[in-house]
Amino acid sequence: ASPAETELVTRLRAAQPRERPRLLQDAIRTQLGQVFGRDAAELSDDTGFFDLGMDSLMAVEFRNRVSKVLGHKLPATVAMQYPNIRALAGYAMEEVLSLGDTTTPSHAPQDGGLEKEIASLCDDSVTSALEDELKKVLGEE
């Protein structure tokens, strides 16, 4: 393993290709459970993060946790673009780690242009943008 490769990435590379999605989904679920203070086993692969009650600060914490276990910095909007465990795992497997079957993407970003727009913002601006987006999603604006 290279010095930057995390334990998870090492395990994913060593695993059979058909086992990789489950390993990655389990790792993401663990991080999500820690952010919510819930048992990871209670969290479904297809339930939306914001449907679970994620707010903008939780989204930033979640992004940071997943970035750390992957060994790659993820976009600030990753929880909005890939809004559940399955979608995020597909994105991470294919686009971040290049370990997936690239002929049939298992994820689809919600808004591809949003990532570029937010890339130049500071953390406070990102937090504010995430809060505004969450209000829109929840119909509070």
Side-chain angles (χ1 to χ4, degrees):
S2 68
E5 193 166 282
T6 67
E7 178 184 337
L8 173 62
V9 174
T10 301
R11 285 187 11 233
L12 289 169
R13 290 190 195 287
Q16 294 294 320
R18 68 181 179 278
E19 297 170 354
R20 291 174 181 165
R22 179 56 43 205
L23 288 172
L24 185 52
Q25 289 170 4
D26 288 346
I28 291 170
R29 184 179 300 100
T30 297
Q31 297 309 310
L32 187 63
Q34 290 177 359
V35 169
F36 278 104
R38 293 173 56 182
D39 181 2
E42 297 174 3
L43 304 171
S44 164
D45 290 345
D46 297 312
T47 302
F49 301 139
F50 295 97
D51 293 335
L52 293 168
M54 182 176 279
D55 62 27
S56 60
L57 295 177
M58 293 169 93
V60 172
E61 179 184 353
F62 178 59
R63 184 267 321 244
N64 291 343
R65 287 176 168 276
V66 175
S67 291
K68 185 174 181 180
V69 298
L70 293 177
H72 292 271
K73 186 170 180 165
L74 298 175
T77 59
V78 74
M80 291 185 326
Q81 290 180 295
Y82 307 98
N84 61 51
I85 293 169
R86 187 178 315 280
L88 180 54
Y91 163 74
M93 186 75 67
E94 295 169 16
E95 302 295 326
V96 177
L97 302 174
S98 301
L99 293 174
D101 176 7
T102 58
T103 60
T104 56
S106 61
H107 67 280
Q110 298 297 314
D111 182 3
L114 189 57
E115 180 180 336
K116 291 177 185 174
E117 179 183 334
I118 296 180
S120 65
L121 299 175
C122 67
D123 283 344
D124 289 338
S125 296
V126 171
T127 299
S128 177
L130 287 170
E131 288 172 347
D132 291 345
E133 187 66 25
L134 182 58
K135 287 177 184 176
K136 288 178 191 174
V137 169
L138 297 174
E140 294 178 5
E141 261 191 13

